[in-house]
Coordinates of all heavy atoms in Angstrom, one line a residue:
S1 N 3.0 42.0 5.3 CA 4.4 42.2 4.9 C 4.6 41.6 3.5 O 3.8 40.8 3.1 CB 5.3 41.6 6.0 OG 5.3 40.2 5.9
S2 N 5.7 41.9 2.9 CA 6.0 41.4 1.6 C 7.0 40.2 1.6 O 7.7 40.0 0.6 CB 6.5 42.5 0.7 OG 7.7 43.0 1.2
E3 N 7.1 39.5 2.7 CA 7.9 38.4 2.8 C 7.2 37.1 2.3 O 6.1 36.9 2.6 CB 8.3 38.2 4.3 CG 9.3 37.1 4.4 CD 9.7 36.8 5.9 OE1 9.5 37.8 6.7 OE2 10.0 35.7 6.3
V4 N 8.0 36.4 1.5 CA 7.4 35.1 0.9 C 7.4 34.1 2.0 O 8.4 33.8 2.6 CB 8.2 34.7 -0.3 CG1 7.6 33.4 -0.9 CG2 8.1 35.7 -1.4
K5 N 6.2 33.4 2.2 CA 6.1 32.4 3.2 C 5.8 31.1 2.4 O 5.5 31.0 1.3 CB 5.0 32.7 4.1 CG 5.2 34.0 4.9 CD 4.0 34.3 5.7 CE 4.2 35.7 6.4 NZ 3.5 36.8 5.8
I6 N 5.8 30.0 3.2 CA 5.5 28.7 2.6 C 4.3 28.1 3.3 O 4.2 28.1 4.6 CB 6.7 27.7 2.8 CG1 7.9 28.3 2.1 CG2 6.3 26.3 2.2 CD1 9.2 27.5 2.4
Y7 N 3.3 27.7 2.5 CA 2.0 27.2 3.1 C 1.8 25.8 2.7 O 2.2 25.4 1.5 CB 0.8 28.1 2.5 CG 0.9 29.5 3.0 CD1 1.4 30.5 2.3 CD2 0.3 29.8 4.2 CE1 1.5 31.8 2.7 CE2 0.3 31.1 4.7 CZ 0.9 32.1 3.9 OH 0.9 33.4 4.4
R8 N 1.3 25.0 3.6 CA 0.9 23.6 3.3 C -0.6 23.6 3.2 O -1.3 24.0 4.1 CB 1.4 22.7 4.3 CG 1.0 21.2 4.0 CD 1.6 20.2 4.9 NE 3.0 20.1 4.7 CZ 4.0 20.0 5.6 NH1 3.6 20.1 6.9 NH2 5.2 20.0 5.3
I9 N -1.1 23.2 2.0 CA -2.6 23.3 1.8 C -3.1 21.8 1.6 O -2.5 21.1 0.7 CB -2.9 24.1 0.6 CG1 -2.5 25.6 0.9 CG2 -4.4 24.1 0.3 CD1 -2.7 26.6 -0.2
E10 N -4.0 21.4 2.4 CA -4.5 20.0 2.3 C -6.0 20.1 2.0 O -6.7 21.0 2.4 CB -4.4 19.3 3.7 CG -2.9 19.3 4.1 CD -2.8 18.7 5.5 OE1 -3.4 17.7 5.9 OE2 -2.0 19.3 6.3
G11 N -6.5 19.1 1.3 CA -7.9 19.1 0.9 C -8.2 17.8 0.1 O -7.4 16.9 0.1
I12 N -9.3 17.9 -0.6 CA -9.8 16.8 -1.5 C -10.2 17.4 -2.8 O -10.6 18.5 -2.9 CB -10.9 16.0 -0.8 CG1 -12.1 16.8 -0.4 CG2 -10.4 15.1 0.3 CD1 -13.3 16.1 0.1
M13 N -10.1 16.6 -3.8 CA -10.5 17.0 -5.2 C -11.3 15.8 -5.8 O -11.0 14.7 -5.6 CB -9.3 17.4 -6.0 CG -8.2 16.3 -6.2 SD -6.8 16.9 -7.1 CE -5.7 15.6 -6.9
L14 N -12.2 16.2 -6.6 CA -13.1 15.3 -7.3 C -12.4 14.8 -8.6 O -12.4 15.6 -9.6 CB -14.5 15.8 -7.6 CG -15.5 14.9 -8.1 CD1 -15.8 13.8 -7.0 CD2 -16.8 15.7 -8.4
I15 N -11.9 13.6 -8.7 CA -11.3 13.1 -9.9 C -12.3 12.3 -10.7 O -13.2 11.7 -10.1 CB -10.1 12.2 -9.5 CG1 -9.1 12.9 -8.7 CG2 -9.5 11.6 -10.7 CD1 -8.4 14.0 -9.4
S16 N -12.2 12.3 -12.0 CA -13.2 11.6 -12.9 C -14.6 12.0 -12.6 O -15.5 11.2 -12.4 CB -13.0 10.1 -12.8 OG -11.7 9.7 -13.0
H17 N -14.8 13.3 -12.5 CA -16.2 13.8 -12.1 C -17.3 13.5 -13.1 O -18.4 13.5 -12.8 CB -16.1 15.3 -11.9 CG -15.5 16.1 -12.9 ND1 -16.2 16.6 -14.0 CD2 -14.2 16.5 -13.1 CE1 -15.4 17.2 -14.8 NE2 -14.2 17.2 -14.3
D18 N -16.9 13.0 -14.3 CA -18.0 12.7 -15.3 C -18.3 11.2 -15.3 O -19.5 10.8 -15.3 CB -17.6 13.1 -16.7 CG -16.2 12.8 -17.1 OD1 -15.4 12.2 -16.2 OD2 -15.8 13.0 -18.2
K19 N -17.3 10.3 -15.2 CA -17.5 8.8 -15.3 C -17.8 8.2 -13.9 O -18.9 7.9 -13.6 CB -16.4 8.1 -16.0 CG -16.1 8.5 -17.4 CD -14.9 7.9 -18.0 CE -14.6 8.4 -19.3 NZ -13.2 8.1 -19.7
Y20 N -16.7 8.0 -13.2 CA -16.8 7.4 -11.9 C -16.2 8.4 -10.8 O -15.0 8.3 -10.5 CB -16.0 6.1 -11.8 CG -16.5 5.1 -12.9 CD1 -15.7 4.9 -14.0 CD2 -17.7 4.4 -12.7 CE1 -16.2 4.0 -15.0 CE2 -18.1 3.5 -13.7 CZ -17.4 3.3 -14.8 OH -17.8 2.5 -15.8
P21 N -17.0 9.3 -10.3 CA -16.5 10.3 -9.4 C -15.9 9.7 -8.1 O -16.5 8.9 -7.5 CB -17.7 11.2 -9.1 CG -18.9 10.5 -9.6 CD -18.5 9.4 -10.5
T22 N -14.7 10.1 -7.8 CA -14.0 9.8 -6.6 C -13.3 11.0 -6.0 O -12.7 11.7 -6.7 CB -13.0 8.6 -6.8 OG1 -12.1 9.0 -7.8 CG2 -13.7 7.3 -7.2
W23 N -13.4 11.1 -4.7 CA -12.7 12.2 -4.0 C -11.3 11.7 -3.6 O -11.2 10.6 -3.1 CB -13.5 12.6 -2.8 CG -14.7 13.4 -3.1 CD1 -16.0 12.9 -3.2 CD2 -14.8 14.8 -3.4 NE1 -16.8 13.9 -3.6 CE2 -16.2 15.1 -3.7 CE3 -13.9 15.8 -3.5 CZ2 -16.6 16.3 -4.0 CZ3 -14.3 17.1 -3.8 CH2 -15.7 17.3 -4.1
Q24 N -10.3 12.4 -4.0 CA -8.9 12.1 -3.7 C -8.3 13.2 -2.9 O -8.4 14.4 -3.1 CB -8.2 11.9 -5.0 CG -6.7 11.5 -4.8 CD -6.0 11.3 -6.2 OE1 -6.7 11.0 -7.2 NE2 -4.8 11.4 -6.2
K25 N -7.5 12.8 -1.8 CA -6.8 13.7 -1.0 C -5.6 14.3 -1.7 O -5.0 13.7 -2.6 CB -6.3 13.0 0.3 CG -7.4 12.7 1.3 CD -6.8 12.1 2.5 CE -7.9 11.8 3.5 NZ -7.3 11.3 4.8
F26 N -5.3 15.6 -1.4 CA -4.1 16.2 -1.9 C -3.4 17.0 -0.8 O -4.1 17.5 0.1 CB -4.3 17.0 -3.1 CG -5.1 18.3 -2.8 CD1 -4.4 19.4 -2.5 CD2 -6.5 18.3 -3.0 CE1 -5.1 20.6 -2.2 CE2 -7.2 19.5 -2.7 CZ -6.5 20.6 -2.3
V27 N -2.1 17.2 -0.9 CA -1.3 18.1 0.0 C -0.4 18.8 -0.9 O 0.4 18.2 -1.7 CB -0.5 17.3 1.0 CG1 0.3 18.2 1.9 CG2 -1.4 16.5 1.9
K28 N -0.4 20.1 -0.9 CA 0.4 21.0 -1.7 C 1.2 21.9 -0.9 O 0.7 22.5 0.1 CB -0.4 21.8 -2.7 CG -1.1 21.0 -3.8 CD -0.1 20.5 -4.8 CE -0.7 19.7 -5.9 NZ 0.2 19.1 -6.8
E29 N 2.5 22.1 -1.2 CA 3.3 23.1 -0.5 C 3.5 24.2 -1.5 O 4.0 24.0 -2.6 CB 4.6 22.5 0.0 CG 4.4 21.5 1.1 CD 5.7 20.8 1.6 OE1 6.7 21.0 0.9 OE2 5.6 20.1 2.6
I30 N 3.2 25.4 -1.1 CA 3.2 26.6 -2.0 C 3.9 27.7 -1.4 O 3.7 28.0 -0.2 CB 1.7 27.0 -2.3 CG1 0.9 25.8 -2.9 CG2 1.6 28.2 -3.3 CD1 1.2 25.4 -4.3
R31 N 4.7 28.5 -2.2 CA 5.3 29.7 -1.8 C 4.4 30.9 -2.2 O 3.9 30.9 -3.4 CB 6.6 29.9 -2.5 CG 7.7 29.0 -2.1 CD 9.0 29.2 -2.8 NE 9.7 30.4 -2.3 CZ 10.1 31.5 -3.0 NH1 9.9 31.5 -4.3 NH2 10.7 32.5 -2.5
A32 N 4.0 31.7 -1.3 CA 3.1 32.9 -1.5 C 3.3 33.9 -0.5 O 3.9 33.7 0.6 CB 1.7 32.4 -1.6
L33 N 2.8 35.1 -0.8 CA 2.9 36.2 0.1 C 1.8 36.1 1.3 O 2.1 36.6 2.4 CB 2.7 37.6 -0.6 CG 3.8 37.9 -1.5 CD1 3.5 39.2 -2.3 CD2 5.1 38.1 -0.8
N34 N 0.7 35.5 0.9 CA -0.4 35.3 1.9 C -1.2 34.1 1.6 O -1.0 33.5 0.6 CB -1.2 36.6 2.1 CG -1.8 37.0 0.7 OD1 -2.3 36.2 0.0 ND2 -1.8 38.3 0.4
E35 N -2.1 33.8 2.5 CA -3.0 32.6 2.4 C -3.8 32.6 1.1 O -4.0 31.7 0.4 CB -3.9 32.4 3.6 CG -3.2 31.8 4.8 CD -4.2 31.4 5.9 OE1 -5.4 31.5 5.7 OE2 -3.7 31.1 7.0
K36 N -4.4 33.8 0.8 CA -5.3 34.0 -0.3 C -4.5 33.6 -1.6 O -5.0 32.9 -2.5 CB -5.8 35.4 -0.4 CG -6.8 35.6 -1.4 CD -7.4 37.0 -1.4 CE -8.4 37.2 -2.5 NZ -8.9 38.6 -2.5
Q37 N -3.3 34.1 -1.8 CA -2.5 33.8 -3.0 C -2.2 32.4 -3.1 O -2.1 31.8 -4.1 CB -1.2 34.7 -3.0 CG -1.4 36.1 -3.3 CD -0.1 36.9 -3.5 OE1 0.9 36.3 -3.2 NE2 -0.2 38.1 -3.9
A38 N -1.9 31.7 -1.9 CA -1.6 30.3 -1.9 C -2.8 29.5 -2.4 O -2.6 28.5 -3.1 CB -1.1 29.9 -0.5
V39 N -4.0 29.9 -1.9 CA -5.2 29.1 -2.3 C -5.4 29.3 -3.8 O -5.7 28.3 -4.5 CB -6.4 29.6 -1.5 CG1 -7.7 29.1 -2.1 CG2 -6.3 29.2 0.0
E40 N -5.2 30.5 -4.3 CA -5.4 30.7 -5.8 C -4.4 29.9 -6.6 O -4.8 29.4 -7.6 CB -5.2 32.2 -6.1 CG -6.3 33.1 -5.6 CD -7.7 32.8 -6.3 OE1 -7.7 32.5 -7.5 OE2 -8.7 32.8 -5.6
K41 N -3.2 29.8 -6.1 CA -2.2 29.0 -6.8 C -2.6 27.5 -6.8 O -2.4 26.8 -7.8 CB -0.8 29.2 -6.1 CG 0.3 28.5 -6.8 CD 0.7 29.3 -8.0 CE 1.9 28.7 -8.7 NZ 2.2 29.2 -10.0
V42 N -3.1 27.0 -5.7 CA -3.6 25.6 -5.7 C -4.7 25.4 -6.6 O -4.7 24.4 -7.4 CB -4.0 25.2 -4.2 CG1 -4.8 23.9 -4.2 CG2 -2.8 25.1 -3.3
Y43 N -5.7 26.3 -6.7 CA -6.8 26.2 -7.7 C -6.2 26.2 -9.1 O -6.7 25.4 -9.9 CB -7.8 27.4 -7.5 CG -8.8 27.2 -6.4 CD1 -9.1 28.3 -5.6 CD2 -9.4 26.0 -6.1 CE1 -10.0 28.2 -4.5 CE2 -10.3 25.9 -5.1 CZ -10.6 27.0 -4.3 OH -11.5 26.9 -3.3
S44 N -5.3 27.0 -9.3 CA -4.7 27.1 -10.7 C -3.9 25.8 -11.0 O -4.1 25.3 -12.1 CB -3.7 28.3 -10.7 OG -3.0 28.3 -11.9
I45 N -3.1 25.3 -10.1 CA -2.3 24.1 -10.4 C -3.3 22.9 -10.6 O -3.1 22.1 -11.6 CB -1.4 23.8 -9.2 CG1 -0.3 24.9 -9.2 CG2 -0.8 22.4 -9.3 CD1 0.6 24.8 -8.0
L46 N -4.2 22.7 -9.7 CA -5.1 21.5 -9.8 C -6.0 21.6 -11.0 O -6.3 20.6 -11.6 CB -5.8 21.3 -8.5 CG -5.0 20.9 -7.3 CD1 -5.9 20.8 -6.0 CD2 -4.2 19.6 -7.5
G47 N -6.5 22.8 -11.2 CA -7.4 23.0 -12.3 C -6.8 22.8 -13.6 O -7.3 22.2 -14.5
G48 N -5.5 23.3 -13.7 CA -4.8 23.1 -15.0 C -4.3 21.7 -15.2 O -4.4 21.2 -16.4
S49 N -3.9 21.0 -14.2 CA -3.3 19.7 -14.4 C -4.4 18.6 -14.5 O -4.2 17.5 -15.0 CB -2.2 19.4 -13.4 OG -2.8 19.4 -12.1
H50 N -5.5 18.8 -13.8 CA -6.5 17.8 -13.7 C -7.9 18.2 -14.4 O -8.9 17.5 -14.3 CB -6.8 17.4 -12.2 CG -5.6 16.7 -11.6 ND1 -5.2 15.5 -11.8 CD2 -4.8 17.2 -10.6 CE1 -4.2 15.2 -11.1 NE2 -3.9 16.3 -10.4
K51 N -7.9 19.3 -15.0 CA -9.1 19.9 -15.7 C -10.3 19.9 -14.7 O -11.4 19.5 -15.0 CB -9.5 19.0 -16.8 CG -8.4 18.8 -17.9 CD -8.3 20.0 -18.7 CE -7.3 19.7 -19.9 NZ -5.9 20.0 -19.6
L52 N -10.0 20.5 -13.5 CA -11.0 20.6 -12.4 C -11.6 22.0 -12.3 O -10.8 23.0 -12.5 CB -10.5 20.2 -11.1 CG -9.9 18.8 -10.9 CD1 -9.3 18.6 -9.6 CD2 -11.0 17.8 -11.1
K53 N -12.8 22.1 -12.0 CA -13.4 23.4 -11.7 C -13.2 23.7 -10.2 O -12.9 22.8 -9.4 CB -14.9 23.4 -12.0 CG -15.3 23.1 -13.4 CD -15.0 24.2 -14.3 CE -15.4 23.9 -15.7 NZ -14.8 24.7 -16.7
R54 N -13.3 24.9 -9.8 CA -13.1 25.3 -8.4 C -14.0 24.5 -7.5 O -13.6 24.1 -6.4 CB -13.2 26.8 -8.2 CG -12.1 27.6 -8.8 CD -12.3 29.0 -8.6 NE -11.2 29.7 -9.2 CZ -10.3 30.4 -8.5 NH1 -10.5 30.5 -7.2 NH2 -9.3 31.0 -9.0
Y55 N -15.2 24.3 -7.9 CA -16.1 23.6 -7.0 C -15.8 22.1 -6.9 O -16.5 21.4 -6.1 CB -17.6 23.8 -7.3 CG -18.0 23.5 -8.8 CD1 -18.3 22.2 -9.2 CD2 -18.0 24.5 -9.7 CE1 -18.7 21.9 -10.5 CE2 -18.3 24.3 -11.0 CZ -18.7 23.0 -11.4 OH -19.0 22.7 -12.7
H56 N -14.9 21.6 -7.7 CA -14.4 20.2 -7.5 C -13.2 20.1 -6.6 O -12.7 19.0 -6.4 CB -14.0 19.6 -8.9 CG -15.1 19.5 -9.8 ND1 -15.0 19.8 -11.2 CD2 -16.4 19.0 -9.7 CE1 -16.2 19.5 -11.8 NE2 -17.0 19.1 -10.9
I57 N -12.8 21.2 -6.0 CA -11.7 21.2 -5.1 C -12.1 21.8 -3.7 O -12.7 22.9 -3.7 CB -10.5 22.2 -5.6 CG1 -10.1 21.7 -7.0 CG2 -9.4 22.2 -4.7 CD1 -9.2 22.7 -7.8
K58 N -12.0 21.0 -2.7 CA -12.4 21.4 -1.3 C -11.1 21.5 -0.5 O -10.4 20.5 -0.2 CB -13.3 20.4 -0.7 CG -14.5 20.0 -1.5 CD -15.7 21.0 -1.2 CE -16.9 20.5 -1.9 NZ -17.4 21.3 -3.0
I59 N -10.8 22.7 -0.1 CA -9.6 23.0 0.8 C -10.1 22.8 2.2 O -11.0 23.4 2.7 CB -9.0 24.3 0.5 CG1 -8.5 24.3 -0.9 CG2 -7.9 24.7 1.5 CD1 -7.9 25.6 -1.4
E60 N -9.4 21.9 3.0 CA -9.7 21.6 4.3 C -8.8 22.3 5.4 O -9.2 22.6 6.5 CB -9.7 20.1 4.5 CG -10.7 19.4 3.7 CD -10.6 17.8 3.7 OE1 -9.5 17.3 4.0 OE2 -11.6 17.2 3.5
K61 N -7.5 22.5 5.0 CA -6.6 23.0 6.0 C -5.5 23.8 5.3 O -5.0 23.4 4.3 CB -6.0 21.9 6.8 CG -5.1 22.3 7.9 CD -4.6 21.0 8.6 CE -3.5 21.4 9.7 NZ -2.9 20.3 10.3
I62 N -5.2 25.0 5.8 CA -4.1 25.8 5.3 C -3.2 26.1 6.5 O -3.7 26.6 7.6 CB -4.6 27.2 4.7 CG1 -5.6 26.9 3.6 CG2 -3.5 28.0 4.2 CD1 -6.4 28.1 3.2
S63 N -1.9 25.9 6.4 CA -1.0 26.2 7.5 C 0.3 26.7 7.0 O 0.8 26.2 6.0 CB -0.8 25.0 8.4 OG -0.4 23.9 7.6
E64 N 0.8 27.7 7.7 CA 2.1 28.3 7.3 C 3.1 27.3 8.0 O 3.0 27.0 9.1 CB 2.3 29.7 7.8 CG 3.5 30.3 7.4 CD 3.7 31.7 7.9 OE1 2.6 32.4 8.2 OE2 4.8 32.2 8.0
I65 N 4.1 26.9 7.2 CA 5.1 26.0 7.7 C 6.5 26.6 7.7 O 6.8 27.4 6.8 CB 5.1 24.7 7.0 CG1 5.4 24.8 5.5 CG2 3.8 23.9 7.2 CD1 5.6 23.5 4.7
P66 N 7.4 26.3 8.6 CA 8.7 26.8 8.6 C 9.5 26.0 7.5 O 9.2 24.9 7.1 CB 9.3 26.4 10.0 CG 8.4 25.3 10.5 CD 7.1 25.5 9.8
P67 N 10.6 26.6 7.0 CA 11.4 26.0 6.0 C 11.9 24.6 6.3 O 12.1 23.8 5.4 CB 12.6 26.9 5.8 CG 12.1 28.3 6.3 CD 11.1 28.0 7.4
E68 N 12.1 24.3 7.6 CA 12.6 23.0 8.0 C 11.6 21.9 7.7 O 11.9 20.7 7.6 CB 12.9 22.9 9.5 CG 13.9 23.9 10.0 CD 13.3 25.3 10.2 OE1 12.2 25.4 10.8 OE2 13.9 26.3 9.7
E69 N 10.3 22.2 7.6 CA 9.3 21.2 7.4 C 8.9 20.9 5.9 O 8.1 20.1 5.5 CB 8.0 21.6 8.1 CG 8.0 21.5 9.6 CD 6.7 21.7 10.2 OE1 5.7 21.5 9.6 OE2 6.7 22.2 11.4
V70 N 9.6 21.7 5.0 CA 9.3 21.6 3.6 C 9.7 20.2 3.0 O 10.8 19.7 3.4 CB 10.0 22.7 2.8 CG1 9.8 22.5 1.3 CG2 9.4 24.0 3.2
T71 N 8.9 19.6 2.2 CA 9.2 18.3 1.7 C 9.4 18.3 0.1 O 10.0 17.4 -0.4 CB 8.2 17.2 2.0 OG1 6.9 17.7 1.5 CG2 8.1 17.0 3.5
R72 N 8.9 19.3 -0.5 CA 9.0 19.5 -2.0 C 10.4 19.8 -2.4 O 11.0 20.8 -1.9 CB 8.0 20.5 -2.5 CG 6.7 20.0 -3.0 CD 5.8 21.0 -3.7 NE 6.5 21.5 -4.8 CZ 6.2 22.7 -5.3 NH1 5.3 23.5 -4.7 NH2 6.8 23.2 -6.4
R73 N 11.0 19.1 -3.2 CA 12.4 19.3 -3.6 C 12.6 20.6 -4.3 O 13.6 21.3 -4.0 CB 12.8 18.1 -4.6 CG 14.3 18.1 -4.8 CD 14.7 16.9 -5.7 NE 13.9 15.7 -5.4 CZ 13.7 14.8 -6.3 NH1 14.2 14.9 -7.5 NH2 13.0 13.7 -6.0
E74 N 11.7 21.1 -5.1 CA 11.9 22.4 -5.8 C 11.9 23.5 -4.7 O 12.7 24.4 -4.9 CB 10.8 22.7 -6.8 CG 10.6 21.6 -7.8 CD 9.7 20.5 -7.4 OE1 8.9 20.7 -6.5 OE2 9.8 19.4 -8.0
L75 N 11.1 23.4 -3.7 CA 11.0 24.5 -2.7 C 12.3 24.4 -1.9 O 12.8 25.5 -1.5 CB 9.8 24.3 -1.8 CG 8.5 24.8 -2.3 CD1 7.4 24.6 -1.3 CD2 8.5 26.2 -2.8
L76 N 12.8 23.2 -1.6 CA 14.1 23.1 -0.8 C 15.2 23.8 -1.6 O 16.0 24.5 -0.9 CB 14.4 21.6 -0.6 CG 13.5 20.9 0.4 CD1 13.8 19.4 0.4 CD2 13.7 21.5 1.8
H77 N 15.3 23.6 -2.9 CA 16.3 24.3 -3.6 C 16.2 25.8 -3.6 O 17.1 26.5 -3.5 CB 16.3 23.8 -5.1 CG 16.8 22.4 -5.2 ND1 18.0 21.9 -4.7 CD2 16.2 21.3 -5.8 CE1 18.1 20.6 -5.0 NE2 17.0 20.2 -5.7
L78 N 14.9 26.3 -3.7 CA 14.7 27.7 -3.7 C 15.1 28.3 -2.3 O 15.6 29.4 -2.3 CB 13.2 28.0 -4.0 CG 12.8 28.0 -5.4 CD1 11.3 28.2 -5.6 CD2 13.5 29.2 -6.2
I79 N 14.8 27.6 -1.3 CA 15.1 28.1 0.1 C 16.6 28.2 0.2 O 17.1 29.2 0.9 CB 14.5 27.1 1.1 CG1 13.0 27.2 1.1 CG2 15.1 27.5 2.5 CD1 12.3 26.1 2.0
K80 N 17.4 27.3 -0.3 CA 18.8 27.3 -0.2 C 19.5 28.4 -1.0 O 20.7 28.7 -0.7 CB 19.4 25.9 -0.5 CG 19.0 24.9 0.5 CD 19.5 23.5 0.1 CE 19.0 22.5 1.1 NZ 19.3 21.1 0.7
L81 N 18.8 28.9 -2.0 CA 19.5 30.0 -2.8 C 19.8 31.2 -2.0 O 19.0 31.6 -1.2 CB 18.5 30.4 -3.9 CG 18.3 29.4 -5.1 CD1 17.3 30.0 -6.1 CD2 19.6 29.1 -5.8
T82 N 21.0 31.7 -2.2 CA 21.4 33.0 -1.6 C 21.2 34.2 -2.5 O 21.0 35.3 -2.0 CB 22.8 32.9 -1.1 OG1 23.7 32.6 -2.2 CG2 22.9 31.8 0.0
R83 N 21.3 34.0 -3.8 CA 21.0 35.1 -4.7 C 20.6 34.6 -6.1 O 20.9 33.4 -6.4 CB 22.3 35.9 -4.8 CG 23.5 35.2 -5.4 CD 24.8 36.0 -5.3 NE 25.9 35.2 -5.5 CZ 26.7 35.4 -6.5 NH1 26.6 36.4 -7.3 NH2 27.8 34.6 -6.7
L84 N 20.0 35.4 -6.8 CA 19.5 35.1 -8.2 C 20.4 35.8 -9.2 O 20.7 37.0 -9.0 CB 18.1 35.4 -8.4 CG 17.1 34.6 -7.6 CD1 15.7 35.2 -7.8 CD2 17.1 33.1 -8.0
I85 N 20.8 35.2 -10.3 CA 21.5 35.9 -11.3 C 20.7 35.9 -12.6 O 20.2 34.9 -13.1 CB 22.8 35.1 -11.6 CG1 23.7 35.0 -10.3 CG2 23.6 35.7 -12.7 CD1 24.9 34.1 -10.4
K86 N 20.5 37.1 -13.1 CA 19.7 37.3 -14.3 C 20.7 37.4 -15.5 O 21.8 37.9 -15.4 CB 18.9 38.6 -14.2 CG 17.8 38.5 -13.3 CD 17.1 39.9 -13.1 CE 16.5 40.4 -14.4 NZ 15.7 41.6 -14.1
K87 N 20.3 36.7 -16.6 CA 21.1 36.7 -17.8 C 20.5 37.7 -18.8 O 19.4 37.9 -18.9 CB 21.3 35.3 -18.4 CG 22.1 34.5 -17.5 CD 22.4 33.2 -18.2 CE 23.3 32.3 -17.4 NZ 23.7 31.1 -18.1

């Protein structure tokens, strides 16, 4: 279906992979049409902000969550919108 869902993606990422490599946990809440798109978005966000390659990111758990469980402020605002106005 073409309904936008919210996914919680949990995993680990390799930070400072060149000097002192350490695995750090992450939890991301993503709006997407399906799991595959949500995973791609996580790779894009983490890769862009932390300069990570895909093999430095290990996704451990993907779960669809109801709007009541969302913790990200931006997503909460998007959920509460009733309509969009284009200028």
Side-chain angles (χ1 to χ4, degrees):
S1 73
S2 62
E3 184 182 335
V4 177
K5 301 176 183 99
I6 302 169
Y7 294 93
R8 181 173 289 139
I9 300 180
E10 301 173 44
I12 54 175
M13 58 184 170
L14 189 63
I15 301 293
S16 306
H17 49 87
D18 47 355
K19 297 177 189 166
Y20 304 105
T22 52
W23 288 95
Q24 180 176 336
K25 288 184 178 182
F26 69 87
V27 177
K28 292 283 182 194
E29 291 175 353
I30 303 291
R31 292 179 76 233
L33 293 174
N34 55 44
E35 282 188 11
K36 185 177 179 183
Q37 285 184 354
V39 168
E40 287 298 318
K41 187 73 175 169
V42 167
Y43 282 138
S44 175
I45 291 169
L46 293 178
S49 59
H50 296 286
K51 306 281 189 272
L52 298 175
K53 302 288 184 198
R54 286 175 178 250
Y55 54 84
H56 293 139
I57 302 167
K58 306 272 189 247
I59 293 176
E60 298 172 332
K61 185 179 175 188
I62 304 170
S63 53
E64 185 180 335
I65 60 171
E68 302 81 46
E69 288 186 29
V70 173
T71 57
R72 267 188 58 207
R73 191 175 323 152
E74 303 88 22
L75 284 181
L76 288 171
H77 290 306
L78 277 174
I79 291 168
K80 291 177 185 173
L81 287 178
T82 56
R83 62 190 168 120
L84 295 174
I85 301 173
K86 288 173 63 172
K87 288 188 178 185

